[in-house]
Amino acid sequence: MSKKIGIITSGGDAPGMNAAIRAVTRRGISLGYQIIGIKRGFKGLIKGEFVNLTSRSVSGIINTGGTILHTGRCPEIKTKDGMKKTIDSIKKLELKGLIIIGGDGSLAAGYALSKYGIKIINIAASIDNDIYGTDETIGYDTALNTAVEAIDKIRNTATSHNRIFVVEIMGREHGFLTVDVGLAAGCETIMVPEIKVNINKVAKELKEGKEKGKTSEIIAFAEGCGSLSDFGNKIERLTGFEVRVSTLGYIQRGGSPTARTRILASRFGYSAINLFDEKKTNVLIGITDGKISAMPIQNAIKYEKKFNTKTFKILRTLSI
Ligand code: F6P
């Protein structure tokens, strides 16, 4: 009888996906499974593109960004026809189940497939850290460190020129990454979709900051807050100070994963196979209060992760 499990990375890549692929492969092999790596996300699965993963083929990847399996966004899977093709492909490859590494889109695909009887384990991976059912996602800590390092550099030039900077952080329609970047980089304030802020008040505070002797002021601005340049122009007009804007963009998605990300990915991958082997499928692997958790996928997609306003308050108090 086939003991083949498929593994797929889908949606936006996140640093640490490779560490998770390595962990799934090696733990799977140790339990007697054959691990089939699906290439290019669900687009590749529909086309039946795969590679047999061995202990050696996942050597030297724990420290690399991106995903050796490649990834992609696949709107087709949301259609009835796309779903049918995906299931046909899974059957053709004789997979006992599928481990999906990715963010919210991957969760939705996992849920849809589970309704057709496919055994699914979702592993939370996204730089956005916006998934309900886990305190942290694979890639988040690496993106956080990348963004903080970039803002530290921006701080140098901001101070030299006595300028205000508005720095755009990724996160789709959420500010989870932005608020932690803001706190860790010592930003004066943040703009996130979850918190309504009066721009006149922000400008007034920035002016007061200058009066207090601040030589640089930095706002971390979540991409979900709208136009960065419009916001920067308004701040310049309202404060009368020189403002520059900077988008960190896709550098936040790349790079060698931090030790924290690698450990999380290794734990997630290892637990994913264990749960599969114990027949506890259709769950999202996450971490809750330091412990590995497994939440039914249907709950993970039903609820929204709550924004931590406490971190915002700490940031504001410490930015005087
Ligand atoms: O979900 C990860 C993410 O990088 C978001 O932060 C960003 O909004 C989005 O993906 C960008 O998507 P794409 O890779 O399709 O341009």
Side-chain angles (χ1 to χ4, degrees), residues 15-194:
M17 280 182 161
N18 284 334
I21 294 169
R22 172 183 178 270
V24 165
T25 303
R26 292 195 171 167
R27 181 56 178 152
I29 288 170
S30 80
L31 290 179
Y33 289 98
Q34 186 184 347
I35 306 298
I36 303 298
I38 309 296
K39 293 167 94 179
R40 294 195 310 114
F42 285 99
K43 276 188 187 159
L45 179 54
I46 288 172
K47 294 219 157 99
E49 295 173 20
F50 72 94
V51 59
N52 187 35
L53 295 175
T54 65
S55 293
R56 293 288 68 76
S57 65
V58 295
S59 285
I61 64 168
I62 195 168
N63 57 342
T64 58
T67 156
I68 58 160
L69 293 175
H70 302 274
T71 185
R73 308 212 182 266
C74 177
E76 200 183 347
I77 189 135
K78 293 185 190 145
T79 67
K80 225 173 156 186
D81 187 47
M83 183 51 60
K84 190 184 167 302
K85 284 184 190 160
T86 307
I87 290 164
D88 287 349
S89 221
I90 290 172
K91 290 194 174 143
K92 214 166 154 195
L93 290 169
E94 297 179 334
L95 302 179
K96 285 244 159 233
L98 192 62
I99 296 184
I100 309 174
I101 306 174
D104 47 8
S106 308
L107 256 185
Y111 182 54
L113 285 167
S114 72
K115 287 203 285 186
Y116 286 92
I118 308 290
K119 293 188 173 55
I120 299 291
I121 303 263
N122 270 98
I123 293 182
S126 164
I127 65 159
D128 303 340
N129 201 23
D130 57 350
I131 297 175
Y132 183 84
T134 186
D135 293 343
E136 190 172 328
T137 49
I138 293 173
Y140 161 72
D141 181 66
T142 305
L144 172 61
N145 278 283
T146 300
V148 168
E149 203 186 314
I151 294 184
D152 287 349
K153 289 175 180 162
I154 287 175
R155 181 75 74 179
N156 294 157
T157 179
T159 306
S160 303
H161 286 265
N162 207 346
R163 281 172 174 160
I164 295 169
F165 265 82
V166 189
V167 183
E168 187 180 283
I169 311 292
M170 271 189 169
R172 216 177 277 275
E173 68 267 26
H174 292 291
F176 297 106
L177 181 58
T178 302
V179 69
D180 285 345
V181 168
L183 182 60
C187 291
E188 326 314 307
T189 193
I190 58 165
M191 293 295 294
V192 290
E194 291 87 348

Side-chain angles (χ1 to χ4, degrees), residues 251-270:
I251 65 157
Q252 293 163 104
R253 286 237 296 251
S256 177
T258 59
R260 186 181 165 104
T261 290
R262 296 182 202 187
I263 291 167
L264 191 73
S266 300
R267 291 179 72 191
F268 279 8
Y270 183 87

